[in-house]
Amino acid sequence: MRRMTARPANAHQARLLQLLRDGGPNSRAQLGDQVDLSRSKLAVEVDRLLETGLVVADGLAASRGGRRSHNVRLNPELRFLGVDIGATSVDVAVTNAELEILGHINQPMDVREGPVAVFEQVLSMTAKLRASGLAEGFDGAGIGVPGPVRFPEGVPVAPPIMPGWDGFPVREALSQELGCPVMVDNDVNLMALGEQHAGVARTVHDFLVVKIGTGIGCGIVVGGDVYRGTTGSAGDIGHIQAVPEGRQCACGNRGCLEAHFSGAALARDAAEAAEDGRSAELANRLEANGGLSAADVAAAAAAGDATALDLIREGGRSTGQVIAGLVSFFNPGLVVIGGGVTGLGHNLLAAIRTQVYRQSLPLATGNLPIVLGELGPTAGVIGAARLISDHLFSPA
Amino acid sequence: MRRMTARPANAHQARLLQLLRDGGPNSRAQLGDQVDLSRSKLAVEVDRLLETGLVVADGLAASRGGRRSHNVRLNPELRFLGVDIGATSVDVAVTNAELEILGHINQPMDVREGPVAVFEQVLSMTAKLRASGLAEGFDGAGIGVPGPVRFPEGVPVAPPIMPGWDGFPVREALSQELGCPVMVDNDVNLMALGEQHAGVARTVHDFLVVKIGTGIGCGIVVGGDVYRGTTGSAGDIGHIQAVPEGRQCACGNRGCLEAHFSGAALARDAAEAAEDGRSAELANRLEANGGLSAADVAAAAAAGDATALDLIREGGRSTGQVIAGLVSFFNPGLVVIGGGVTGLGHNLLAAIRTQVYRQSLPLATGNLPIVLGELGPTAGVIGAARLISDHLFSPA
DNA sequence: CCAACTTTCTCCACTCAGTGGACAAAGAGG
DNA sequence: CCTCTTTGTCCACTGAGTGGAGAAAGTTGG
């Protein structure tokens, strides 16, 4: 249960830790190729990292035509905790220092029950992972919440869908409980970090991640770093107007994107279509399950239901309308679509693409991939682990 | 005519040059307070800068209760050229190394005449400034063009309103003519740099500058640096849809912001109002001047013409609609409105503010100033000088 | 006008990061 | 067994940067 507390002593060590994290076990020689240091200096820094215990020897590599090199790797006993609090469920995962998921639990939950209840659940899920022998303690934890965060303090600020959390010291509280450093961020930003680390955005520097779940939000990455805005609310695109004089939104305005397309809106529209007789397929499912979700709409569409398909297309159109504006403005190198509704798959993607390619400037869309996220439900927890790892693997 | 070619040899020297540029003449002691170096090291670097000629001694400062300090300042003979090519006019200015404007000329012009003709005009304007004794030669030049630029190469790329310029090697050509380093950027980005250096955005790190001139564009500053996007077209908001099923735009879509509000659109709408009898005031001005511009609409509104006021309000509403979306997405710390139509003044500003404060999230607008630019027509040339100065005053 | 105190600037010995070359160790291939 | 290649270690040297001592040039008050 004694955990590493060492931190890299300088920028070189930080860089080496990041290389070992992202590239796995490696020899001094190959590290030297990536790090612009003399062999002597490199050896000194690696030796110091070995002394701290952050890095351990890992046997001999195969020969490349000469003396075999001594591999080093991040200490395999290091453990990070990744927590992704959504609107209606929690994900908790344990990773090693290379951010590989060793164990992962998902449970339904309602954020509106407030921080105390949710924290209790997170801790019990963590205990379960611990009990299965994956970790004795944690060297760091990252946690995502579905709303804006004052990032330096790790405190949610004025979150619309989780009012009870306003000002709750998430970072402080979790750090107390776990006895390790904690970083807090918006769930969408974590998803962006996840896709950047292990997903579709590995090679891009400027990109957007649009997460369509219960709500809708956007992660912004500029020059490889997450951009959070002046008050931490950057990317909050759910209340951009998508349909003038459209549906009444909970925020008080009309026609917000979130009022027209999101997990919640889609479920509502599907139920309406089922009840007023437009779709027998959806009506059947409503009766069978006692409720409808985005997954039902996806299934109905796959079964050939025209109304379900229309709902998806119409939603994609609204979303594409907003994304088109963002693309003109931000000129990203990639747009990733993720979140719960990715189950709607290529029907949704096609509708979004059509709209964006039609409305944005040719120069901005000329070579712009719009793709689905690769990591699915693990994007958030991987991003959370990445967040704390970036923090710990930076000069103290 | 022999010019300085020295560049700072390291990051410390670069920092010192920037401090002297932004803060004016200063003593070693006061520089030391801002630069986190020991006095000894600081003295060494300042001496080296004196040797290069970039910096010169500037007499003794007043005593602050002890020995008087020896001031240093940027060499007052350094000269930068700032060029701002708009759609319908060119600005050329000469500055010293502290980016103070020593001379400034503005002339009407039409970019569509192509790069060769425009270059000729720029060079003759430059010659005129030179002839007046302001400069013998230039140590660097910055130039802005009204369209996207591939920044590293300094070449316009697929510019909609200046088709003849596509691929024209602006940087190379101007550098040849002037015999000094040149940097090229989008005119709106330069305006942002100008307002950041000497205008309303001096203390903000993340902000937007919306320039409403013949066209409409947006400069994006992230963490103090201009963000240009993946292909250099970031901030191109003129073709974001502001009015669904609205006016036909030259780009092929309907309802683009630029089709509804910009210098050109406003002139068009004013002429319509004058011709179909809605506004006697505008009709008088049309007859008197043989044409209408944004300035006429401003004057008519000031004279109490309700139709002119309506045009401004309606334009502000469309613009505010788009800006509201950008504010939700980007969460800036400041929005600056600039460009030719700033003559419309507070009527325009009020309309934009109303729309943004109503539509964007409270967290994003809570403490968001929306203001007019401070520098007017000099923002571009100051930004241009700043651009090349940032380049030259950075480690070689 | 002098004594005491402040501020600025210079000088110098010292520390420490980083380099690059010499050389040893370990393997591949003939 | 010899040569060539790759890897790792050792060490003298360079050069950036520090911090303290002390000189230079002021101010203020008696």
Side-chain angles (χ1 to χ4, degrees), chain B residues 12 37-38 40-41 45 48 63 65-68:
Chain B
H12 297 312
L37 276 179
S38 64
S40 347
K41 180 60 178 167
E45 296 300 349
R48 286 183 190 163
S63 167
R67 176 175 172 176
R68 295 168 65 190

Side-chain angles (χ1 to χ4, degrees), chain B residues 46-270:
Chain B
V46 171
D47 287 345
R48 286 183 190 163
L49 284 174
L50 286 166
E51 277 173 33
T52 66
L54 285 170
V55 161
V56 299
D58 190 42
L60 291 170
S63 167
R64 296 195 303 171
R67 176 175 172 176
R68 295 168 65 190
S69 54
H70 294 257
N71 272 355
V72 292
R73 61 176 299 184
L74 290 173
N75 189 326
E77 291 174 14
L78 289 169
R79 289 291 177 273
F80 294 142
L81 184 72
V83 180
D84 185 5
I85 296 181
T88 58
S89 72
V90 199
D91 285 88
V92 179
V94 174
T95 78
N96 59 14
E98 286 158 10
L99 310 192
E100 292 163 340
I101 294 186
L102 306 178
H104 182 189
I105 308 183
N106 172 59
Q107 282 184 4
M109 178 245 13
D110 185 344
V111 255
R112 287 170 301 181
E113 290 184 12
V116 178
V118 171
F119 252 69
E120 213 164 296
Q121 183 168 355
V122 167
L123 291 175
S124 97
M125 291 166 80
T126 305
K128 197 178 293 179
L129 286 167
R130 244 165 156 159
S132 65
L134 294 173
E136 297 184 13
F138 296 99
D139 301 281
I143 175 168
V145 295
V149 170
R150 209 177 310 129
F151 186 71
E153 295 91 0
V155 173
V157 40
I161 70 165
M162 40 188 274
W165 290 70
D166 192 10
F168 185 81
V170 173
R171 179 181 192 167
E172 183 60 26
L174 194 59
S175 182
Q176 284 281 331
E177 287 289 346
L178 297 177
C180 68
V182 172
M183 294 289 279
V184 187
D185 205 345
N186 181 299
D187 62 338
V188 191
N189 291 343
L190 293 192
M191 181 163 168
L193 279 175
E195 292 290 347
Q196 182 188 38
H197 179 79
V200 288
R202 260 168 292 202
T203 58
V204 213
H205 295 102
D206 305 304
F207 65 95
L208 299 179
V209 174
V210 177
K211 180 176 180 181
I212 311 173
T214 306
I216 198 162
C218 179
I220 308 171
V221 176
V222 176
D225 290 321
V226 171
Y227 171 77
R228 299 184 173 85
T230 299
T231 55
S233 80
D236 221 328
I237 62 172
H239 301 276
I240 293 182
Q241 196 179 68
V243 181
E245 303 305 314
R247 284 193 179 258
Q248 180 69 40
C249 178
C251 77
N253 284 313
R254 306 186 74 89
C256 297
L257 175 56
E258 210 166 287
H260 285 264
F261 190 63
S262 65
L266 188 61
R268 177 203 61 202
D269 291 346

